[in-house]
Amino acid sequence: MSRLLPLHLDRSRIYGLYCTMSYNGRGQGLNDFARREFGKPLSALTPMQAATTVAITRAPSSYLRDRGRLEQRARWLLENTENSASGL
């Protein structure tokens, strides 16, 4: 299935589907998680809040039980994203 999607959808549509359909521990979608956790849509999140929202998709049930691990994962994502962007 994952090999067929690029044949039919461009990258932005695939990311859009992922953001809409990914499980977030109590429902689906990154925007739903952002509104529930931070009280605002994805577009209004701080970089750390956005990293936390993305981090939850790796292991939602586990990270919701251990917020410290969720924060660690979010910081790791944020640092690695910043390092990748500076190398461009």
Side-chain angles (χ1 to χ4, degrees):
M1 176 87 169
S2 64
R3 292 177 189 220
L4 294 176
L5 281 176
L7 297 174
H8 300 284
L9 302 170
D10 65 14
R11 185 176 282 180
S12 66
R13 297 270 302 174
I14 293 170
Y15 287 143
L17 286 171
Y18 181 78
C19 288
T20 303
M21 299 177 74
S22 61
Y23 178 64
N24 65 37
R26 294 190 189 119
Q28 282 186 295
L30 300 183
N31 201 46
D32 179 56
F33 179 80
R35 286 186 185 280
R36 189 176 67 241
E37 291 295 312
F38 307 113
K40 50 189 168 181
L42 286 173
S43 59
L45 297 180
T46 66
M48 185 60 185
Q49 290 170 334
T52 300
T53 302
V54 171
I56 197 71
T57 63
R58 185 169 190 215
S61 298
S62 176
Y63 284 148
L64 287 174
R65 282 191 307 270
D66 186 349
R67 295 295 178 129
R69 283 186 58 222
L70 176 59
E71 185 176 336
Q72 275 183 313
R73 177 68 179 164
R75 288 190 188 287
W76 183 88
L77 286 172
L78 196 56
E79 289 169 7
N80 284 291
T81 301
E82 289 171 352
N83 290 339
S84 295
S86 66
L88 295 177

